Amino acid sequence: MPTYSFILNGEKGREITEEDLDGIRNICRCGTYYRIREAIVAGAKNM
Amino acid sequence: MTEHHRSPDDSDSPSGGLGRRRFLGYLLAAPTLAVGVQLIPGLAGPQAADAAIITPPEPEEIFDLGDAQNLAAAATSGLITVVVNTDGTASFAAIRTEVGQGMTTAIAMMIAEYMDLDMDQVTVTLADARPELIFNQLTGGSNSMRSQYGPTCAAAALAKQQIVAAAASRWNIAPARLRTERGRVIHPDGRRLGYGELATEAASTRTRRVTVPDIKAAKKFKILGHPQKRIDALEIVTGQKTFGMDMQVPGALPTMVVRPPTVNGTVESLNNASAILALPGITDVAVISTGVAIRGKTFGQCIDAIQIADVTWGAGTVDSESDASVLAALQAAAPTLPIPPIGDLFVKGEFTFYFASNTPLEPDWAIADVQAGSVEIWAPLKVPIDAAEDFALMLGLPQSAVTVHVVSAGGSFGRHLFHDCATEAIEASQAMGKPVKLMWSRTDTFRQGRTHPMCISQVLATTLLGNVVTYTQLHTSVQTDFSHGLGEILTATAGSLPVANLGLSETIFELTESSPYNFGVTAQLLNEIQLEFNTGSMRNIYSPNVVTAQELIVDQIAAQFGQDPVAFRQAFLKDSSVLAALNKVAEVGDWGRTMPAHCAQGIAVHSEYQAGIAVLAEINCTPHVVNRKIQDGVGGPRVTKVVIVVDPGFAINPLGFEAQMIGGVEDGIAMALTASLHIQDGLILEGSWDNFFYTREWNTPPEIQVVLLPNTSNSPCGAGELAVAPTMAAVACAYARATGTMPTSFPINHSGPLGFTPLPTTPSTPQSPTNGLKFAQ
């Protein structure tokens, strides 16, 4: 179950891929999935 | 990636859409300044509500459900109040429920704008049930902003006026010579007084009527109409915000319910009460009307007890029903579509929509403390007055002995219109003689909770010489339960509604559904069958199904005419707001661009909540995408892009509006492709979020674009449910174009192999998993 696998795997310095984002298992009933993706990509850029 | 086509200098005021409304203002007797504002009864109708106007235009166009709620609310919405505190902040107890939709943020924006305060100087809390408000404390129908905007702004303006008057009196100067800025009154010579320093002397010692300042005056907004982040965002992400599970009421121990193996099954006998009571932590066991309630020191101990409960169950309310039998019952009950004259061209279709769950993510919960002669309840209720009346009736108590506290909810989606869980908590507390904190498990919520009812929609359109001459849509549904106070609203205002002699459901259908097209003689009719499933509205009532059927048929008519779906809609739309949205979405979404094989665009339009909206969706139905493997989930066709264009009237908070649109997209995708409940012999097979396939990250579009058209009015439209129907329809239309086959059964994966192994019915809540760490490694 690849929950936040790109974080938990501890691989540093690689780009976030669409597959990483698709692999997040968290459920958001309010449907913020797209904004979660935006936030992760923005966060990665700022790291 | 959102465009806001909005000038920051828009001159707007919230009164424009409230043309004939006036407000009565009051100074309230209080230690610090407290003002109240009331709509004058009888002057509240936003539109003339003439009787018996059925067609054309259809009722929804001139007077919709939100208007009905506004009209009903007018007579009793008198008591909304703004209090100015000695620390300079303003407080407001909202009479709508925050369920994650951002309502409190929008209310704070109105008060900050009209009082010249910073956002963090405004505190918005949720009001307890206030029986005197009768019809005005229902959160639903995407109505909160529409009904609260005018009076809230007026109350804030009145509060500022009184603060300024107090400063003018102290300085012995005309109020008109003073100005305000960020919570301070400023003298022409530069002296300043904070609102907090004036709050006490601005207070009134008796309650009296005052004139409300004219909020129609053109005003350049600093806050309203500009994107604002949620006032509770930091609290939420840091875990500080109090939700139900955080509530601590002394003695209210965790309580759960052993539930029957079929929908609404009954308890015949509990066979091992003493064995349950002997388990660690368990304090009480009681049979209640829906199952066996178990109270313990922890929820985990309650779940342990559920594992060993031995209960003999009686019949439920739908034990002989399965998907196929409900479908057969709907088809048998459906009226017969008219037969087109021989030789006329026509397009027809029948569409099936399976049951779906309206459960929010936060588990259902309620705290009840039944004492001799009184009861106190904490719960996330959207219709607290209706609930309080029921509780009083249940316990044989006067209304004054019932205290209902409304708590912020983690989502609602229609679920919190009902107070099923609070009723159980009261039953358990009464039976045990102790306070309880009752929670439903995920399995409970899917199997015994509320559902969007299964329905079929039949459409027939006849055409002649390039025109559509008739459009008939017959919608047949398992009955929707509206027994939550919305009924009282409509009953009370029945004489004012433009629909005569219709039952409650038919009235709501007429007030929410209308065709945006010039299709000649148009009829949309609702028919219900009486099957006793637990139903309710689910982020919309009928629209997602009605609009999906409509838009698929519109594409078929366009094909018959040899026209492009967008060009056809441009030619036949009668609503200018919808047409503007369509034109923009076709442009922004690059309608007609070349798509790879098995991929297509789809387009759909909708008009509801006084808004026009158009959605363009792109879908990928290539076999390797459709068949991709997802652990504990389903893949299926992938929506790769969604563009939404909406004419919001006036968007109070564009950021909040955009969030509602994006959330609506995910709901629409779920309803079109993946999310449903399977009924088998009176049991709902789904029992967890890994069974009920609401959109997940692997099915979310990697690209979503929301475009708000420039303000076209001064009144806000409803946003919470708006995007669901047109997104579902656009995805369905895209799927039809990508596969070459018009889908007729929704969600499209419902009839395929079951995508999960159903949980057993006993125990009714499975043991908690203990292998979570394994998955995180």
Side-chain angles (χ1 to χ4, degrees):
Chain A
M1 196 179 291
T3 307
Y4 290 129
S5 60
F6 51 90
I7 295 169
L8 296 173
N9 287 350
E11 293 175 54
K12 288 181 183 169
R14 77 172 176 86
E15 295 294 309
I16 301 290
T17 66
E18 288 292 316
E19 288 68 34
D20 291 325
L21 299 172
D22 284 355
I24 299 169
R25 291 199 64 88
N26 300 57
I27 299 165
C28 177
R29 181 61 184 85
C30 295
T32 61
Y33 297 106
Y34 175 69
R35 295 196 291 155
I36 291 168
R37 294 167 96 93
E38 281 188 311
I40 290 172
V41 171
K45 270 186 192 148
N46 294 333
M47 279 172 83
Chain B
M1 271 171 269
T2 300
E3 290 177 48
H4 296 296
H5 295 265
R6 181 173 313 288
S7 156
D9 294 316
D10 283 343
S11 292
D12 268 318
S13 78
S15 55
L18 310 165
R20 279 173 238 158
R21 295 183 200 193
R22 279 191 260 137
F23 302 105
L24 278 182
Y26 293 89
L27 294 183
L28 307 173
T32 59
L33 175 63
V35 302
V37 158
Q38 175 173 55
L39 288 170
I40 297 176
L43 292 181
Q47 307 266 355
D50 296 329
I53 298 173
I54 299 294
T55 182
E58 289 184 71
E60 191 272 338
E61 295 168 52
I62 58 166
F63 191 98
D64 73 3
L65 184 59
D67 289 333
Q69 288 173 255
N70 290 346
L71 186 59
T76 52
S77 69
L79 303 171
I80 69 155
T81 58
V82 172
V83 176
V84 181
N85 307 302
T86 52
D87 63 359
T89 60
S91 306
F92 183 90
I95 54 174
R96 290 292 186 277
T97 303
E98 176 68 53
V99 292
Q101 80 279 47
M103 178 275 294
T104 51
T105 303
I107 296 264
M109 290 172 71
M110 298 171 201
I111 293 169
E113 181 73 58
Y114 276 89
M115 286 191 70
D116 275 341
L117 285 170
D118 286 339
M119 285 290 283
D120 62 5
Q121 293 173 296
V122 182
T123 309
V124 180
T125 56
L126 304 183
D128 284 354
R130 293 170 54 184
E132 81 280 9
L133 295 177
I134 318 276
F135 306 124
N136 198 14
Q137 200 173 10
L138 183 147
T139 307
S142 295
N143 165 266
S144 294
M145 290 304 100
R146 291 172 59 191
S147 62
Q148 302 301 292
Y149 187 43
T152 304
C153 293
L158 176 58
K160 190 179 88 171
Q161 172 185 278
Q162 296 307 119
I163 285 287
V164 170
S169 170
R170 192 194 284 199
W171 284 329
N172 195 22
I173 185 175
R177 298 192 58 206
L178 301 176
R179 64 187 180 90
T180 55
E181 189 182 298
R182 302 179 70 182
R184 290 191 187 83
V185 186
I186 303 170
H187 193 281
D189 68 10
R191 275 182 289 168
R192 287 156 188 260
L193 277 172
Y195 290 0
E197 299 169 75
L198 296 159
T200 307
E201 61 196 78
S204 183
T205 51
R206 61 185 179 87
T207 296
R208 59 187 172 93
R209 263 181 62 181
V210 289
T211 305
V212 176
D214 183 10
I215 57 166
K216 286 179 190 169
K219 181 175 184 348
K220 293 213 187 292
F221 288 145
K222 293 176 187 157
I223 296 169
L224 290 172
H226 300 278
Q228 294 288 331
K229 291 180 180 166
R230 295 177 59 115
I231 54 176
D232 50 359
L234 186 65
E235 266 188 299
I236 291 172
V237 299
T238 55
Q240 301 300 303
K241 192 173 168 86
T242 302
F243 288 99
M245 287 296 109
D246 305 314
M247 296 288 297
Q248 295 295 337
V249 172
L253 289 188
T255 302
M256 293 181 74
V257 178
V258 187
R259 294 185 188 278
T262 58
V263 170
N264 299 328
T266 45
V267 182
E268 292 205 335
S269 62
L270 167 61
N271 306 320
N272 65 340
S274 53
I276 291 171
L277 282 167
L279 288 176
I282 301 303
T283 62
D284 298 86
V285 178
V287 173
I288 61 173
S289 57
T290 51
V292 176
I294 300 176
R295 182 175 178 271
K297 292 204 171 74
T298 70
F299 283 111
Q301 289 167 335
C302 294
I303 291 173
D304 290 344
I306 289 172
Q307 309 307 304
I308 69 152
D310 177 7
V311 183
T312 304
W313 298 103
T317 52
V318 289
D319 287 1
S320 59
E321 301 297 341
S322 295
D323 280 346
S325 68
V326 178
L327 180 57
L330 289 167
Q331 287 169 331
T336 310
L337 281 166
I339 299 165
I342 293 168
D344 274 18
L345 290 173
F346 64 91
V347 173
K348 64 189 286 188
E350 178 181 312
F351 304 89
T352 302
F353 302 92
Y354 286 94
F355 283 98
S357 173
N358 72 359
T359 184
L361 200 54
E362 178 189 42
D364 298 83
W365 69 275
I367 294 171
D369 184 5
V370 179
Q371 303 277 342
S374 73
V375 62
E376 196 166 1
I377 297 126
W378 292 258
L381 299 169
K382 290 174 88 176
V383 202
I385 296 163
D386 177 64
E389 282 171 7
D390 271 11
F391 302 153
L393 207 60
M394 259 177 84
L395 296 167
L397 290 172
Q399 194 68 65
S400 57
V402 178
T403 306
V404 175
H405 304 286
V406 180
V407 181
S408 249
S412 170
F413 309 98
R415 176 63 62 91
H416 296 315
L417 289 166
F418 296 93
H419 48 268
D420 307 340
C421 188
T423 303
E424 284 186 339
I426 290 170
E427 274 193 54
S429 175
Q430 187 179 30
M432 296 168 180
K434 296 167 188 169
V436 301
K437 181 180 192 176
L438 192 144
M439 180 181 76
W440 288 32
S441 70
R442 304 290 191 198
T443 314
D444 296 340
T445 204
F446 284 105
R447 291 187 162 169
Q448 301 288 344
R450 298 277 169 174
T451 64
H452 179 70
M454 185 169 165
C455 54
I456 60 174
S457 220
Q458 298 161 296
V459 186
L460 171 69
T462 58
T463 63
L464 183 68
L465 302 173
N467 268 309
V468 182
V469 290
T470 69
Y471 179 89
T472 307
Q473 184 160 11
L474 304 176
H475 197 73
T476 305
S477 176
V478 171
Q479 66 185 343
T480 303
D481 188 342
F482 288 119
S483 63
H484 46 53
L486 187 59
E488 286 184 344
I489 287 175
L490 293 173
T491 308
T493 55
S496 307
L497 297 181
V499 281
N501 304 320
L502 292 176
L504 177 58
S505 298
E506 289 81 1
T507 301
I508 292 171
F509 189 81
E510 289 294 327
L511 291 178
T512 55
E513 304 308 321
S514 74
S515 164
Y517 296 102
N518 282 312
F519 280 172
V521 180
T522 298
Q524 291 177 295
L525 299 169
L526 172 69
N527 183 42
E528 289 192 325
I529 62 171
Q530 312 291 310
L531 285 177
E532 290 179 52
F533 285 94
N534 300 320
T535 61
S537 53
M538 183 183 83
R539 201 169 189 177
N540 246 182
I541 308 174
Y542 307 106
S543 299
N545 314 126
V546 170
V547 173
T548 296
Q550 165 198 288
E551 292 294 277
L552 284 165
I553 289 294
V554 166
D555 273 7
Q556 296 284 309
I557 304 169
Q560 190 200 75
F561 287 10
Q563 286 186 10
D564 167 83
V566 167
F568 177 86
R569 284 174 174 80
Q570 286 167 332
F572 283 88
L573 278 174
K574 63 183 176 189
D575 181 325
S576 61
S577 164
V578 177
L579 181 60
L582 173 68
N583 291 338
K584 188 72 180 175
V585 88
E587 174 203 325
V588 175
D590 195 9
W591 172 257
R593 78 188 182 93
T594 306
M595 301 287 287
H598 307 294
C599 298
Q601 296 178 311
I603 201 141
V605 299
H606 185 47
S607 171
E608 196 175 358
Y609 311 113
Q610 309 291 351
I613 181 168
V615 175
L616 188 157
E618 294 186 353
I619 200 167
N620 184 338
C621 297
T622 51
H624 78 273
V625 168
V626 172
N627 298 322
R628 76 206 130 104
K629 292 280 171 269
I630 307 285
Q631 187 182 333
D632 296 319
V634 291
R638 179 79 184 263
V639 178
T640 50
K641 180 179 176 181
V642 172
V643 182
I644 304 174
V645 177
V646 56
D647 169 3
F650 172 61
I652 292 174
N653 181 1
L655 199 60
F657 201 101
E658 179 194 335
Q660 291 288 10
M661 295 304 104
I662 291 173
V665 163
E666 308 291 6
D667 274 40
I669 291 171
M671 291 183 76
L673 301 178
T674 56
S676 61
L677 298 173
H678 293 76
I679 314 295
Q680 187 178 298
D681 301 323
L683 170 71
I684 292 173
L685 297 184
E686 280 74 5
S688 86
W689 281 98
D690 276 349
N691 299 168
F692 180 69
F693 300 124
Y694 179 68
T695 306
R696 300 282 283 270
E697 203 68 78
W698 51 83
N699 276 332
T700 205
E703 196 176 350
I704 300 180
Q705 197 172 354
V706 180
V707 180
L708 302 185
L709 292 174
N711 294 339
T712 51
S713 77
N714 297 323
S715 54
C717 71
E721 302 162 285
L722 180 61
V724 180
T727 302
M728 181 184 183
V731 169
C733 289
Y735 179 86
R737 299 178 84 229
T739 61
T741 306
M742 180 176 75
T744 57
S745 172
F746 294 93
I748 58 144
N749 79 339
H750 181 90
S751 303
L754 206 58
F756 61 95
T757 305
L759 291 163
T761 55
T762 306
S764 60
T765 288
Q767 187 51 273
S768 306
T770 52
N771 58 350
L773 272 181
K774 193 181 80 169
F775 293 112
Q777 281 156 0

